[in-house]
């Protein structure tokens, strides 16, 4: 086998330094070629980027503010857009060079290529230093001015409690509908949401229509107009009114409307509130859905609310076997709570209560699958009751029951002063407004000095509804609370503990101002605890990311 040598490579001397090189069109080595031709010419070696410290966003040319983390791909793209002349070369690599976080400097290393002579491509690595300039974005500037909202959403519900808005606040937080809100203000019958853009207000109106039954109307106010460019500046206001019917309310449907709604019994109770009202007849388990347009064509008032509920003792329950979902029809015998007391107090009020409680009432209820003899239940006591309603007065006497049971009660458990292992978040805490950490009620009830006690009672009733209704609990986010902190498990945003038992709160609602003279009942023993009390399971709770961030810091 004959050895064939490789062809010899002819070399020439560099025209400047005389180094032997492979021949090229310039006859220059790489070092001399770099000294002769600078491919980074026209690319600035220093630049600046704008940063808003309030919302932590960077200005992306030409006028878009973008959230970008340090040394992220988004921030690198913003830095590259600030460079002029980069389109005349080929960018092969770009990365950040570490700098101190407080130095207000960003260093970026670039690798570029460019054809300098015929078939001669030169590659070069260089650094660019960016100065971070602090400023305010347009949104934060409007927020600091405190008078630059462009759209307002007024949410109202004419009811004597705040439980609807407490639940609505949790729905807004779960779906992130508050992210574009400039500020929130509490008014007499609801809340006002302020926005810097009309489109953001329209998104909130659409969200409210999807979660609660509402009607809305819009109006606009002319601020300024330019006749030369035919442009005008408006402020927009959207009024949203929620149907004044809440969960567990007792209603009497007008007879004509009841015939249209599958001929249901006019005397019904509200079992659920979504984007429509779900009405249930406890005596027959008939169910109907009342939409917002149908209600506003024929509006009617509520007969009784949860503040009118009376506690009964269940003597006997006989399920009939008829079921609809989780409801089971049953015949029940009930008596007013305290009907079998062995002794009576000398007070005249207690004597009247005991005389009225010597009756046993027979009724039909939808709670046949829940109630057992000896249980306590809350319901409406309709015997000898007068309502300011022509529709209720027109009902035949045989169609009006003596008692309408609404839900099961847990009086022994409520007498115990136990804290909750979960809590709720609020829009006020999310926005970081001053004073919200000590208000203890979130965005509802922050005005101070007006019905503070009533709002706290509504908040406590709302927390109990979440505990006792699994379906309602699944619609909101519950977070783990630190029980070692004072009052952290009460569920209040500010951390107030529950010092008043259930029985005292119920008597406060019934007797008003005279409730201050009622002594608190003695503490109960563990023998009287309800075994079927609906506990909130651990897998239903979420971790509070804000507390985790503070602990890591």
């Amino acid at each position: 086998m004959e050895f064939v040598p490789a062809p010899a490579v002819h070399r020439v001397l560099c025209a400047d330094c005389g180094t032997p090189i492979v021949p090229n069109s310039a006859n220059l080595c790489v070092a001399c070629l770099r000294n002769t031709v600078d491919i980074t010419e026209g690319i600035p070696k220093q630049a600046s980027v704008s940063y808003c410290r309030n919302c932590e966003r960077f200005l992306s040319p030409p006028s878009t503010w973008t959230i970008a983390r340090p040394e992220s791909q988004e921030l690198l793209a913003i830095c590259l857009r600030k460079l002029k002349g980069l389109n005349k070369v080929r960018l092969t690599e770009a990365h950040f060079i570490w700098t101190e976080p407080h130095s207000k400097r960003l260093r970026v290393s670039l690798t570029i290529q460019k054809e300098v002579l015929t078939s001669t491509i030169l590659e070069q690595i260089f650094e660019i230093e960016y100065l971070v300039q602090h400023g305010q974005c347009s949104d934060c500037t409007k927020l600091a001015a405190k008078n630059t909202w462009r759209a307002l959403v007024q949410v109202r519900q004419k009811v004597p409690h705040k439980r609807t808005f407490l639940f609505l606040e949790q729905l807004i937080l779960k779906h992130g509908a508050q992210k574009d809100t400039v500020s929130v203000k509490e008014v007499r019958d609801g809340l006002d949401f302020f926005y810097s853009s009309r489109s953001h207000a329209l998104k909130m109106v659409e969200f409210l229509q999807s979660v609660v039954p509402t009607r809305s109307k819009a109006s606009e106010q002319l601020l300024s107009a330019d006749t030369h460019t035919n442009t005008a500046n408006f402020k927009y206001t959207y009024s949203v009114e929620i149907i004044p019917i809440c969960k567990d309310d007792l209603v009497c449907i007008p007879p004509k409307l009841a015939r249209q709604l599958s001929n249901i019994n006019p005397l019904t109770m509200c079992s659920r509130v979504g984007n429509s009202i779900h009405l249930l007849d406890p005596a027959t388990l008939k169910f109907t859905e009342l939409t917002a347009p149908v209600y506003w064509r024929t509006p009617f008032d509520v007969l009784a609310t949860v503040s009118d509920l009376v506690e009964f003792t269940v003597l006997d329950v006989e399920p009939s076997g008829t079921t609809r979902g989780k409801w089971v029809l049953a015949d029940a015998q009930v008596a007013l709570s305290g009907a079998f007391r062995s002794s009576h107090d000398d007070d005249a009020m207690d004597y009247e209560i005991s005389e009225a409680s010597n009756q046993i009432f027979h009724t039909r209820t939808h709670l046949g699958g829940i109630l057992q003899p000896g249980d306590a239940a809350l319901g409406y006591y309709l015997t000898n009751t007068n309502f300011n309603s022509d529709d209720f007065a027109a009902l035949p006497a045989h169609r009006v029951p003596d008692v309408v049971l609404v839900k099961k009660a847990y009086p022994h458990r409520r007498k115990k002063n136990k804290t909750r292992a979960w809590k709720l978040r609020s829009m006020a805490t999310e926005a970081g407004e001053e004073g919200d950490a000590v208000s203890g009620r979130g965005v509802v009830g922050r005005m101070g000095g007006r019905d503070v006690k009533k709002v706290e009672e509504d908040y406590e009733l709302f927390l109990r509804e979440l505990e006792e209704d699994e379906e309602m609990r699944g619609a909101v986010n519950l977070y783990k609370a630190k029980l070692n902190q004072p009052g952290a498990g009460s569920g209040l945003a500010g951390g107030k503990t529950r010092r008043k038992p259930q029985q005292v709160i119920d008597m406060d609602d019934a007797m008003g101002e005279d409730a201050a003279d009622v002594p608190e009942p003695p503490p109960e023993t563990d023998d009287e605890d309800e075994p079927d009390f609906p506990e909130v399971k651990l897998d239903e709770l979420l971790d509070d990311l804000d507390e985790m961030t503070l602990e890591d810091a």
Side-chain angles (χ1 to χ4, degrees):
M1 182 176 180
E2 185 178 359
F3 176 75
V4 179
V9 178
H10 299 284
R11 295 180 179 272
V12 297
L13 299 179
C14 175
D16 288 346
C17 61
T19 304
I21 59 172
V22 177
N24 54 44
S25 59
N27 287 331
L28 294 174
C29 63
V30 176
C32 296
L33 189 61
R34 288 178 177 174
N35 294 332
T36 305
V37 181
D38 184 13
I39 64 176
T40 64
E41 185 178 3
I43 301 177
K45 304 304 184 294
Q46 290 183 346
S48 62
V49 291
S50 299
Y51 175 72
C52 179
R53 287 182 290 185
N54 296 330
C55 60
E56 299 182 353
R57 293 187 297 177
F58 287 89
L59 177 60
S60 177
S63 60
T64 304
W65 290 86
T66 307
I67 297 178
R69 299 298 179 185
E71 300 187 5
S72 62
Q73 296 294 331
E74 294 80 5
L75 183 56
L76 183 60
I78 293 175
C79 294
L80 295 180
R81 291 195 192 101
K82 299 285 290 185
L83 295 180
K84 297 181 180 180
L86 201 60
N87 56 347
K88 298 180 181 180
V89 298
R90 179 186 179 187
L91 179 65
T92 59
E93 185 182 358
H95 62 272
F96 283 101
I97 300 176
W98 185 86
T99 56
E100 293 288 343
H102 60 274
S103 63
K104 299 182 182 180
R105 297 289 191 278
L106 298 176
R107 296 172 58 195
V108 179
S109 175
L110 300 180
T111 302
I112 60 175
Q113 293 179 351
K114 185 178 181 181
E115 185 177 6
V116 292
L117 298 173
T118 305
S119 301
T120 302
I121 299 176
L122 186 63
E123 183 179 86
Q124 188 169 349
I125 301 174
F126 66 103
E127 296 181 6
I128 298 179
E129 186 180 71
Y130 293 86
L131 174 63
V132 179
Q133 296 180 344
H134 290 169
Q136 275 188 332
C137 63
S138 56
D139 295 336
C140 293
T141 303
K142 293 179 180 180
L143 182 61
K146 296 182 180 180
N147 193 23
T148 55
W149 59 271
R150 298 292 302 276
L152 169 63
V153 178
Q154 299 175 336
V155 187
R156 301 290 185 269
Q157 187 185 33
K158 297 180 180 179
V159 292
H161 59 81
K162 296 289 186 179
R163 292 184 294 110
T164 299
F165 292 98
L166 291 170
F167 181 62
L168 186 60
E169 178 184 9
Q170 300 305 317
L171 291 178
I172 292 174
L173 286 173
K174 181 173 183 178
H175 296 86
Q178 85 290 355
K179 61 180 181 179
D180 297 322
T181 304
V182 174
S183 62
V184 183
K185 179 182 178 182
E186 184 189 8
V187 293
R188 180 179 179 82
D189 293 324
L191 299 173
D192 287 345
F193 296 87
F194 297 88
Y195 296 92
S196 59
S197 173
R198 181 187 182 186
S199 60
H200 296 162
L202 290 174
K203 288 173 58 178
M204 173 57 76
V205 173
E206 293 176 357
F207 171 78
L208 294 175
Q209 292 175 348
S210 65
V211 295
V212 288
T214 62
R215 67 173 177 180
S216 61
K217 59 181 180 180
S219 62
E220 59 185 23
Q221 177 185 1
L222 179 63
L223 299 181
S224 61
D226 189 351
T227 57
H228 300 285
T229 59
N230 197 23
T231 59
N233 186 18
F234 292 91
K235 276 190 175 182
Y236 302 91
T237 302
Y238 298 90
S239 177
V240 179
E241 185 176 359
I242 305 175
I243 290 180
I245 300 177
C246 303
K247 185 176 178 293
D248 297 334
D249 284 354
L250 183 67
V251 299
C252 185
I253 310 175
K256 183 178 179 180
L257 181 60
R259 288 191 293 268
Q260 296 176 0
L261 299 175
S262 65
N263 199 23
I264 194 173
N265 182 21
L267 189 62
T268 58
M269 58 167 287
C270 178
S271 61
R272 182 178 176 271
V273 177
N275 54 7
S276 61
I277 300 293
H278 294 199
L279 300 177
L280 175 69
D281 181 10
T284 60
L285 292 189
K286 282 189 176 181
F287 164 82
T288 187
E289 186 174 352
L290 182 64
T291 59
V294 174
Y295 173 83
W296 292 117
R297 283 198 298 266
T298 312
F300 53 91
D301 297 329
V302 174
L303 296 182
T305 62
V306 292
S307 60
D308 302 319
L309 290 175
V310 179
E311 185 175 334
F312 294 90
T313 301
V314 180
L315 304 180
D316 190 16
V317 176
E318 295 182 2
S320 63
T322 306
T323 61
R324 178 183 288 272
K326 63 179 180 179
W327 308 124
V328 178
L329 187 63
D331 294 329
Q333 296 182 10
V334 298
L336 287 173
S337 180
F340 304 102
R341 289 182 297 182
S342 59
S343 62
H344 304 289
D345 298 332
D346 295 334
D347 187 63
M349 180 189 63
D350 291 340
Y351 177 79
E352 293 177 1
I353 294 177
S354 62
E355 286 293 332
S357 62
N358 287 332
Q359 303 179 22
I360 296 178
F361 303 97
H362 299 263
T363 184
R364 284 194 171 182
T365 178
H366 60 294
L367 305 175
I370 302 175
L371 296 179
Q372 298 293 333
D375 289 345
L378 296 177
Y380 296 108
Y381 185 34
L382 303 183
T383 302
N384 300 327
T385 303
N386 294 325
F387 294 110
N388 188 16
S389 172
D390 296 336
D391 298 327
F392 179 79
L395 291 177
H398 67 276
R399 302 190 65 177
V400 180
D402 294 328
V403 174
V404 177
L405 298 182
V406 175
K407 58 183 178 180
K408 184 177 178 180
Y410 305 91
H412 298 308
R413 180 59 178 249
R414 292 306 179 195
K415 292 176 184 177
K416 299 177 181 297
N417 189 13
K418 291 186 178 180
T419 57
R420 295 181 173 93
W422 53 275
K423 65 177 182 178
L424 300 174
R425 304 181 73 178
S426 67
M427 285 187 291
T429 305
E430 290 292 319
E433 299 179 12
E434 296 181 1
D436 295 329
V438 298
S439 65
R441 289 175 302 277
V443 73
V444 180
R446 291 183 297 149
M447 297 189 67
R450 190 193 68 185
D451 297 336
V452 176
K453 179 181 177 181
K454 183 66 171 63
V455 174
E456 289 181 353
E457 292 178 359
D458 289 341
Y459 196 89
E460 176 63 22
L461 292 176
F462 171 64
L463 296 181
R464 294 176 190 173
E465 288 183 3
L466 289 179
E467 286 180 331
E468 299 172 4
D469 192 341
E470 184 177 358
E471 182 180 359
M472 182 179 179
R473 196 165 60 239
V476 302
N477 288 337
L478 305 181
Y479 296 90
K480 297 178 182 177
K482 291 185 177 181
L483 298 181
N484 56 351
Q485 294 180 352
S490 64
L492 299 177
K496 285 193 176 182
T497 57
R498 296 180 295 155
R499 295 186 176 89
K500 183 177 291 188
Q502 162 76 13
Q503 183 179 2
V504 178
I505 292 180
D506 294 340
M507 297 186 70
D508 287 349
D509 298 335
M511 294 179 289
E513 298 297 334
D514 297 335
D517 300 332
V518 178
E520 295 187 2
E524 298 291 331
T525 60
D526 295 337
D527 298 337
E528 298 183 357
D529 197 1
E530 286 89 349
D532 58 343
F533 184 80
E535 296 283 356
V536 179
K537 300 179 181 178
L538 186 61
D539 55 359
E540 300 180 33
L541 304 181
L542 303 176
D543 292 327
D544 195 345
L545 298 180
D546 290 345
E547 289 189 358
M548 294 176 60
T549 304
L550 292 175
E551 291 178 357
D552 296 340

